[in-house]
Each structure stands twice: as structure tokens, then as C-alpha cells.
Amino acid sequence: MNEQKTTATRSLLPEPTLRRLPWYLSYVGMLENKGVGTVSSTQISKELNVDASQIAKDLSFLNIKGKTRIGYDVPTLRRSLVEFLGFECSHNAVVIGSGSLGRALMQDAGLAQYGLSIVAGFDVNPAIVGTKVCGIPIYDISELKARLEKLHVGIAILSVPVEHSQRVADLAIASGIEAIWNFTPYRIKAPQHIALANTSIYAHLAIMYNRMSHGTK
Amino acid sequence: MNEQKTTATRSLLPEPTLRRLPWYLSYVGMLENKGVGTVSSTQISKELNVDASQIAKDLSFLNIKGKTRIGYDVPTLRRSLVEFLGFECSHNAVVIGSGSLGRALMQDAGLAQYGLSIVAGFDVNPAIVGTKVCGIPIYDISELKARLEKLHVGIAILSVPVEHSQRVADLAIASGIEAIWNFTPYRIKAPQHIALANTSIYAHLAIMYNRMSHGTK
């Protein structure tokens, strides 16, 4: 598939690995909270339904070694995962399109725990430009470039209506953004050097509805 | 084609196809808004960066045929996609875990456009039980089973702290839920007949951060 190919050329770390590492982190974090000292890949495998050899392979990207018959030291593994995934650094982001979904993201305090700090919102609607959401100011989209420079922002979160997706993405790229987190269901195009993550949450609904119609009912 | 066959074909629908169909929908919706009458798979291919033969194959799951050298009728294709994806039906859902992310989802009016109607929230925190978010009442988790029966709800949206994910999923399943939309980063386990969709939005951050560190910087 196209997505996979783009990903492969961009970095050596495979996307499936990057998707699994946060699962390990959430499990290991739970263990640490419970005061568990060590965990083996077999244990993680059982709990998360991922092949043990795959887990060992994924964790080999980190600078961490498990001990034979003992496994990984839980606090060390947790810290390594957090660092490796970039969740401990603060990444400044802006939300472009401060409608329903955009505002929801501004209100989600959970993002901060994963190193994302939303510092501003942008919109074209004069009724909301100048207002604040959870203390985050909403600016007019015409101010995008100037504000991005002042705020040291690398990430644009895209939550505009689908018909504006590509145009707004182009504008963000021209304004010097490094990464786009695309929440629109549109497949936007971006140059190779732009980090692009697609999170079309609505697409997951289609999968769920399909599975439901063939499940219990 | 008889109905049995249609059902059988749909049940085999591969997840990658289900992920791509909403992209086609968003593009075709844009075209319809612009008054465009027909579209070919080659055109969709160019716009969305998906192989044209793949598009034809994906669309073959729908009961729609394109015409040689003309392509698909845009309004018909759009309507077929909406129907096929289940976005025109209303699916009742509850949010379990009405913290930051849960409340954000309740506030996202966009979900309704995709056929999802959030009718109640649940939590354990006495400070928020009894309150409303956008008119949606928050109940105590102990009332889950009784409320689900009254409200005709098939979908549980899971947005609890990670350490409670599995326990709360088990509770939802025992209360008669058919589908779980899991927003926690935890890999919950569910019986085969439960439709399970994982939307770990924070995992996408890891992918983006990794791409950023190998991109322009």
C-alpha cells in the first residue's frame, strides 16, 4: 500500500513497530504502578497478543537489553520507551480549524502527557477568532505564518472541513511547518520532508459498523 | 445478485478496503459539492495516490458500476458509499470514561455526520456524575447495564485510564454491548462476536515524532 511505502522511505523504523511500542508502554506503565520489578517478552506477549519474537525485535530498536530468564527491568523499560517515543519532550502544535473536532482536541489534556502542547488555534470564522478554548487563543488564519514563527511551532493539527484540507495543508507547509497531523478524512499530499500522520477517526467507524453487521446480530 | 451473497461478500470485506472507502467518499463528496457529474477511477487514483486497479477492486464491493471511458456517476457513487459504510444509519453509543478525551468526543458534532449518536456518558467520579456535557447526561458506571438496555445502545466508546481498560471492556461486554471503540492505548481482549475498533490517537504521535526527527531537522 502507498502509505507503507512512503513510510519506509522516510525512516528506518517501521510503522508497525511504532504502533506497537505505545502498547508495550501502556502495559509496562501499569506494571510499574503496581510495583512489578521485571517483565519478560513472553509475559508481554501473553498480555498483548503479540508474538514474543516480534516484541524482542521491536524492543531491539531501543537501547535496552533484557536478562535471560529474568526479562526487562520494568522502570528502565518504561523510561526507555517514553524517551524513545518522544513523549517526554514538549512539541508545540497549533490546531487549524477550530470547529467541533479542533476544539475537542484543545480540550484533551491527555495530549500533554504524550508530549504535545497546543499553543494556538486558527480559524476563518470571525465569530470565534479572538476567543479562547481552555486558555488557548484562536487567531485568524491570515496570521498563521507570523504566529508560527513567534510560537516556535513544528506541528499543525488539521481539523478543517474536508474541502479545504489540501489548501490549508499547503498553506501550513508554506508557513514553515514540519509536521501535519491530519484529522480530516482527506488524503492530503505533502512533500517528502514533511512528517505526515493520518488519524481519520471516522474511518474507524466504518470498520466497526461493518464488523457489527456480521457479529451477534 | 441474491441477498445472501451480498451479505457474504460484505462479511469478507478487508480492513484496508474499509479504510480506503472513506477517502473515496470524502473526495467524491467534494466533487458533488462542486457540481461535477462523473469521475473515473484514474482520476480518483491521481487525487488520492491509490492505485487505480485497487480503487476499482474496492468499489466492486459496492453494487455500482462505472461506465467505460466515462466513469462513475458522482451522486450515485457518493450515495452508495454513504449507505455501504453505514454512515446514514444512526448508531447509538455511550462514552465510558468521561474525562478529557471522553468529553471531547461528546462535544464533537462531526461524529453525528458519520452515523454515531452519543446518548450517555459514564464515569466513577462523583463530581461529574449527574452533570451534562453538550446535553449528554453522565451516569454512574454502576448504572451501565440498566441504562444500556433502556437506551438501545450497541456501541461503547472506551476512554478510561489505561489501567481500567480491560476491566471496563469486560463490564461493557457483560452488559450486552456489541461493539467497542477503544480509545485507550491498551490492547483490550474481547470475544470474537464483539466488533472491536482501536483508535489510539496517541500512538500516531509517536509515528509523527519519529518522522520529524528524520525529516527536515
Side-chain angles (χ1 to χ4, degrees):
Chain A
M1 210 169 75
N2 170 62
E3 193 172 31
Q4 215 119 22
K5 199 169 166 194
T6 315
T7 296
T9 40
R10 274 195 188 158
S11 159
L12 292 173
L13 208 63
E15 190 163 319
T17 295
L18 278 170
R19 286 190 189 279
R20 283 186 298 262
L21 290 175
W23 305 344
Y24 309 154
L25 174 59
S26 69
Y27 177 55
V28 170
M30 263 174 58
L31 293 180
E32 190 176 15
N33 290 342
K34 284 183 191 163
V36 176
T38 53
V39 65
S40 65
S41 42
T42 318
Q43 247 176 292
I44 305 177
S45 166
K46 248 189 182 166
E47 186 67 25
L48 301 184
N49 239 333
V50 177
D51 201 61
S53 63
Q54 182 65 66
I55 293 171
K57 207 173 153 189
D58 287 342
L59 292 179
S60 74
F61 287 105
L62 281 71
N63 250 337
I64 186 169
K65 280 240 162 96
K67 281 180 195 157
T68 323
R69 285 167 208 265
I70 297 176
Y72 301 93
D73 178 65
V74 167
T76 311
L77 180 54
R78 197 189 144 275
R79 209 170 40 244
S80 299
L81 281 165
V82 168
E83 275 172 29
F84 188 80
L85 291 169
F87 291 161
E88 52 150 25
C89 311
S90 179
H91 300 81
N92 280 351
V94 295
V95 168
I96 312 184
S98 304
S100 166
L101 179 62
R103 300 169 86 84
L105 291 168
M106 291 184 213
Q107 283 157 6
D108 179 13
L111 290 169
Q113 276 180 268
Y114 292 86
L116 196 83
S117 169
I118 299 177
V119 295
F122 290 87
D123 211 281
V124 290
N125 182 352
I128 63 164
V129 167
T131 65
K132 285 186 177 191
V133 176
C134 288
I136 302 165
I138 314 289
Y139 300 116
D140 191 276
I141 187 77
S142 64
E143 297 179 44
L144 185 64
K145 191 170 181 176
R147 294 283 179 187
L148 286 180
E149 279 164 10
K150 254 189 223 154
L151 295 165
H152 302 101
V153 172
I155 300 172
I157 299 173
L158 208 64
S159 50
V160 294
V162 62
E163 61 269 29
H164 303 308
S165 316
Q166 187 62 58
R167 200 172 44 78
V168 172
D170 292 343
L171 178 69
I173 294 164
S175 305
I177 218 78
E178 294 164 63
I180 294 177
W181 194 6
N182 178 27
F183 277 84
T184 80
Y186 195 72
R187 300 293 290 171
I188 58 169
K189 281 172 245 172
Q192 196 70 9
H193 68 275
I194 301 292
L196 178 62
N198 291 301
T199 303
S200 178
I201 66 169
Y202 305 132
H204 291 194
L205 281 173
I207 296 170
M208 198 167 57
Y209 296 160
N210 183 267
R211 301 287 175 260
M212 281 176 81
S213 55
H214 298 95
T216 43
K217 276 206 165 164
Chain B
M1 201 190 267
N2 64 46
E3 206 179 303
Q4 206 119 30
K5 192 156 174 211
T6 314
T7 306
T9 322
R10 273 194 66 179
S11 68
L12 293 172
L13 210 64
E15 191 162 317
T17 295
L18 278 170
R19 285 190 189 280
R20 283 186 298 262
L21 289 175
W23 305 344
Y24 308 155
L25 174 59
S26 70
Y27 178 54
V28 170
M30 263 174 58
L31 293 181
E32 190 176 16
N33 290 343
K34 284 183 191 164
V36 176
T38 54
V39 65
S40 65
S41 42
T42 319
Q43 247 176 293
I44 304 178
S45 166
K46 248 190 180 165
E47 187 66 26
L48 301 184
N49 238 334
V50 176
D51 202 61
S53 63
Q54 182 66 66
I55 294 170
K57 207 172 153 188
D58 288 341
L59 292 180
S60 74
F61 287 105
L62 281 70
N63 250 336
I64 186 170
K65 279 241 162 95
K67 282 182 194 156
T68 323
R69 282 167 210 265
I70 296 177
Y72 300 94
D73 178 65
V74 167
T76 311
L77 180 54
R78 195 189 148 276
R79 209 169 40 244
S80 301
L81 281 165
V82 168
E83 276 173 26
F84 189 80
L85 291 169
F87 291 161
E88 51 150 26
C89 311
S90 180
H91 301 81
N92 280 351
V94 295
V95 168
I96 311 184
S98 304
S100 167
L101 179 62
R103 300 169 85 83
L105 291 167
M106 291 185 212
Q107 283 157 8
D108 180 13
L111 290 169
Q113 276 180 267
Y114 292 86
L116 196 84
S117 170
I118 298 176
V119 295
F122 290 88
D123 211 280
V124 290
N125 183 351
I128 63 164
V129 167
T131 63
K132 285 187 176 192
V133 176
C134 289
I136 302 165
I138 314 290
Y139 301 116
D140 191 275
I141 187 78
S142 64
E143 298 178 43
L144 184 64
K145 191 169 181 175
R147 293 283 179 187
L148 286 181
E149 278 163 11
K150 254 189 222 154
L151 295 165
H152 302 100
V153 172
I155 301 172
I157 299 173
L158 207 64
S159 50
V160 296
V162 62
E163 61 271 27
H164 304 308
S165 317
Q166 186 63 57
R167 201 172 44 78
V168 173
D170 292 342
L171 178 68
I173 294 165
S175 306
I177 219 77
E178 293 165 63
I180 294 178
W181 194 6
N182 177 26
F183 277 85
T184 80
Y186 194 72
R187 299 295 288 172
I188 58 169
K189 282 172 245 173
Q192 197 71 13
H193 67 276
I194 301 292
L196 177 62
N198 290 301
T199 303
S200 177
I201 66 169
Y202 305 132
H204 291 193
L205 280 172
I207 297 170
M208 198 167 57
Y209 295 160
N210 183 267
R211 301 291 173 256
M212 283 175 79
S213 55
H214 294 91
T216 43
K217 273 204 164 165

